[in-house]
Amino acid sequence: MPSSRGNQNLSPVRNHPHLYEIDTWAWLEELSARYGRSINLGTVPSQEWDKLQQLSFDFVWLMGVWKRSAEGRRITRTHPDFFASYDAALPNWTMEDVTGSPYSVQGYVPDPRIGNENDLDAARSELHARGIRLILDFVTNHTAPDHPWVASHPEYYVQGTLADFRKEPSAFYLVESNGRARFIARGRDPYFPPWPDTAQLNYYNPALREAMLDALREIAQHCDGVRCDMAMLSLNDIFARTWGPLLSGFRVPRDEFWPAAVSTLPGFTWIAEVYWDLERRLQRLGLNFTYDKRFYDRLLDAAPQEVRVHLEADSGYQVRCVRFLENHDEKRSAQVFGKDRLPAAATLLATAPGMRFYYHGQLEGRKLYLPNPLRRTADEAPDPEIQALYSRLLSITREDVFRQGDWRLLEVRPAGDGSFENLIAYQWRDENALKVIAANLGSASSQGSIALGEEIDPIRRYRLTDQLNGRNFDWQGQDIARGGLFVRLEPFRSHIFNVQTAS
């Protein structure tokens, strides 16, 4: 069962929480350089934890704390396919900079560079003292190729034959023990080549499922929830589609894995990395939050109206979506959106319903992508404009209305031309506040009329204060009620209006 140590400082999880992902190894390297001494999780200065509290995060995900594979490290140091990404992030990198992937896990104990279990628990206590919950990784699909189970329980893994190996050598690796040779499958997503530093677990084996539940119980002693890597790959039908020819001798499980996992740890927080339109399905199986990659993709590449259509989904689904502009698998948002487009995208991220997910370095406007096996990137100076943007947004969204209020998508009507289709508008309401958000996702100046409906009393006057820049706009209620709230925005700019009655 999850440890209750330090939980007395934790309030119930808010409906629309904020999550901050920290690349733990890279963070500790940064802190060690800044303070001039080697720092692990147990010796992080208290002011660094204070910074996270000041940003009002509900969850901190310490990504990559678990013991990294020695064999995985050898692979990532010598596989030429990785080198171009290392060169881009850290010219003149050395072997010591390649620490191996945090998703090639040799065991669910902290990596020695990160600290030990006491250090991990000390970090959790520091977060709890500041009202923040700790999220750790649960790598559902695979282990490292040198995980102890490979020798002690090879039946936990998908295995092939010599013929399978000859057909696709990169998909298997040879393990020899007790006078027997086995071809263990490398982990994979069915749409991409196998991951060379992994061993594929067999979710058709009931004993493996029990072992994974035991692993979860151990992980839960040190955290308040888990981010489940590639959670959809263990679904029965997805697993069969990926591995069916190699599953002879195993029956299709009667139940899915995830309900058993969730019921094992009541009160735990489950965040699923999931794609392929399987988000609702994982939610129905009990996971609290699911990645919303389509939100990211549509903000990046789609027409503004596709973003609006995406936000028309039912509220019960949206409140469990994880919205992001970057993470350790995506390129930096400052690079792919650019400073011109970022203000509107960041406003939507900060104020959309669901879990708002920020990544280590995002708030400073970093552009260099950190490949998972590297411990650091080249030094980058913070971008003052991007820092100021996120500082404003995080300050604004500390307000209860954005975390516990009621959200509603608003209709935007034409106001003289067709540019209204570039605008996204919605509101947040609680008993104390009304906020109206409008963003222009188009590359040209756009205008439209936002229908506020019953929120506005025609006989009153209103002052709308744009919290992004402090500008005030005075309106007669009857004008808003009759014609809507007129807005005109420059490309990729936004408003966050605090709506109050005027005296």
Side-chain angles (χ1 to χ4, degrees):
M1 298 297 292
S3 168
S4 61
R5 182 167 31 184
N7 283 344
Q8 63 270 20
N9 292 295
L10 298 178
S11 301
V13 176
R14 294 184 283 192
N15 291 337
H16 307 275
H18 286 200
L19 168 72
Y20 187 59
E21 177 189 0
I22 294 176
D23 186 315
T24 309
W25 196 307
W27 186 52
L28 295 176
E29 293 293 331
E30 292 168 12
L31 295 180
S32 297
R34 187 183 310 158
Y35 287 93
R37 55 186 171 85
S38 181
I39 290 175
N40 67 18
L41 277 184
T43 57
V44 171
S46 60
Q47 57 264 38
E48 300 299 329
W49 301 117
D50 291 342
K51 290 176 184 177
L52 299 175
Q53 182 183 27
Q54 291 159 9
L55 293 168
S56 195
F57 287 112
D58 301 274
F59 294 95
V60 164
W61 166 19
L62 291 177
M63 189 276 286
V65 305
W66 304 125
K67 185 178 181 182
R68 302 192 187 194
S69 162
E71 174 61 14
R73 182 162 48 250
R74 184 193 67 79
I75 292 170
T76 56
R77 284 178 171 178
T78 57
H79 201 301
D81 288 353
F82 292 100
F83 292 174
S85 65
Y86 301 165
D87 293 339
L90 186 64
N92 302 315
W93 55 272
T94 67
M95 284 289 128
E96 288 69 29
D97 292 313
V98 183
T99 56
S101 170
Y103 294 95
S104 180
V105 175
Q106 193 173 3
Y108 285 110
V109 294
D111 192 277
R113 172 63 186 93
I114 305 300
N116 56 33
E117 290 187 343
N118 289 334
D119 296 317
L120 179 56
D121 290 340
R124 184 190 187 194
S125 294
E126 293 283 4
L127 290 169
H128 281 188
R130 293 161 175 82
I132 302 171
R133 288 172 166 81
L134 174 61
I135 301 294
L136 297 177
D137 292 293
F138 176 50
V139 184
T140 59
N141 183 64
H142 51 263
T143 70
D146 51 357
H147 190 286
W149 286 349
V150 173
S152 63
H153 290 285
E155 71 278 8
Y156 287 177
Y157 296 88
V158 173
Q159 299 182 36
T161 64
L162 176 59
D164 296 318
F165 174 76
R166 294 181 65 171
K167 182 179 179 181
E168 192 178 3
S170 65
F172 300 88
Y173 68 99
L174 178 64
V175 173
E176 299 179 77
S177 63
N178 299 322
R180 182 175 177 182
R182 303 174 189 268
F183 288 98
I184 303 294
R186 300 188 188 276
R188 72 185 309 163
D189 166 336
Y191 298 104
F192 293 95
W195 298 302
D197 55 351
T198 66
Q200 177 63 50
L201 295 167
N202 183 357
Y203 274 86
Y204 270 30
N205 185 339
L208 177 276
R209 291 187 171 208
E210 287 299 319
M212 293 302 280
L213 294 179
D214 287 340
L216 273 168
R217 294 183 187 100
E218 290 298 316
I219 293 170
Q221 295 295 319
H222 307 287
C223 62
D224 308 291
V226 283
R227 181 268 192 181
C228 305
D229 185 66
M230 298 296 281
M232 72 286 183
L233 293 182
S234 57
L235 293 171
N236 290 341
D237 58 332
I238 302 298
F239 195 80
R241 189 188 314 161
T242 309
W243 298 108
L246 302 181
L247 298 176
S248 60
F250 292 95
R251 295 181 179 179
V252 179
R254 183 185 63 183
D255 301 315
E256 296 286 0
F257 170 74
W258 289 112
V262 171
S263 64
T264 297
L265 298 169
F268 213 48
T269 297
W270 302 85
I271 302 171
E273 180 192 20
V274 54
Y275 309 108
W276 314 334
D277 294 324
L278 294 169
E279 295 86 355
R280 287 182 185 270
R281 186 169 165 194
L282 268 293
Q283 289 181 10
R284 286 194 291 267
L285 291 175
L287 286 90
N288 302 99
F289 299 98
T290 56
Y291 269 36
D292 187 5
K293 179 69 157 51
R294 287 196 180 275
F295 178 77
Y296 168 84
D297 289 339
R298 287 173 169 166
L299 278 177
L300 184 62
D301 293 322
Q305 284 306 297
E306 291 190 42
V307 177
R308 178 181 177 85
V309 169
H310 189 72
L311 291 173
E312 289 175 351
D314 63 272
S315 60
Y317 167 72
Q318 294 210 60
V319 74
R320 297 171 68 183
C321 287
V322 180
R323 271 61 190 260
F324 55 84
L325 297 184
E326 61 179 85
N327 57 53
H328 69 263
D329 289 318
E330 307 290 350
K331 298 298 184 183
R332 290 291 191 178
S333 57
Q335 177 187 23
V336 298
F337 286 92
K339 285 172 67 172
D340 288 342
R341 296 178 60 196
L342 196 58
T347 297
L348 293 184
L349 167 66
T351 61
M355 175 179 277
R356 297 118 187 195
F357 172 9
Y358 298 87
Y359 178 48
H360 181 196
Q362 178 178 350
L363 306 183
E364 294 80 35
R366 294 186 189 176
K367 293 183 178 179
L368 289 176
Y369 170 74
L370 176 61
N372 277 337
L374 279 189
R375 65 178 177 175
R376 63 190 180 101
T377 63
D379 291 338
E380 258 187 295
D383 186 302
E385 289 182 50
I386 294 176
Q387 278 188 308
L389 171 65
Y390 280 118
S391 178
R392 287 195 300 272
L393 289 171
L394 289 171
S395 177
I396 292 166
T397 54
R398 284 191 183 96
E399 297 182 49
D400 287 343
V401 65
F402 291 106
R403 307 294 186 95
Q404 298 284 70
D406 295 321
W407 177 89
R408 182 165 68 93
L409 189 65
L410 298 173
E411 180 186 3
V412 182
R413 298 168 180 164
D417 58 29
S419 64
F420 75 99
E421 293 187 347
N422 293 327
L423 301 177
I424 305 294
Y426 47 79
Q427 70 173 41
W428 286 94
R429 161 68 90 179
D430 67 10
E431 60 184 10
N432 299 312
L434 171 62
K435 310 288 183 177
V436 175
I437 292 84
N440 179 10
L441 298 182
S443 58
S445 296
S446 301
Q447 60 190 28
S449 178
I450 300 172
L452 290 179
E454 298 178 356
E455 298 294 347
I456 299 299
D457 184 344
I459 67 173
R460 308 199 72 166
R461 294 176 58 248
Y462 289 87
R463 168 157 288 185
L464 279 66
T465 301
D466 187 347
Q467 294 183 260
L468 289 172
N469 56 31
R471 294 180 62 192
N472 293 319
F473 303 86
D474 292 324
W475 281 80
Q476 295 291 340
Q478 62 183 359
D479 294 333
I480 300 176
R482 181 173 58 244
L485 175 66
F486 175 80
V487 296
R488 180 178 177 83
L489 282 162
E490 295 305 305
F492 309 113
R493 293 301 182 266
S494 53
H495 295 302
I496 300 179
F497 287 126
N498 182 48
V499 182
Q500 294 179 304
T501 55
S503 57

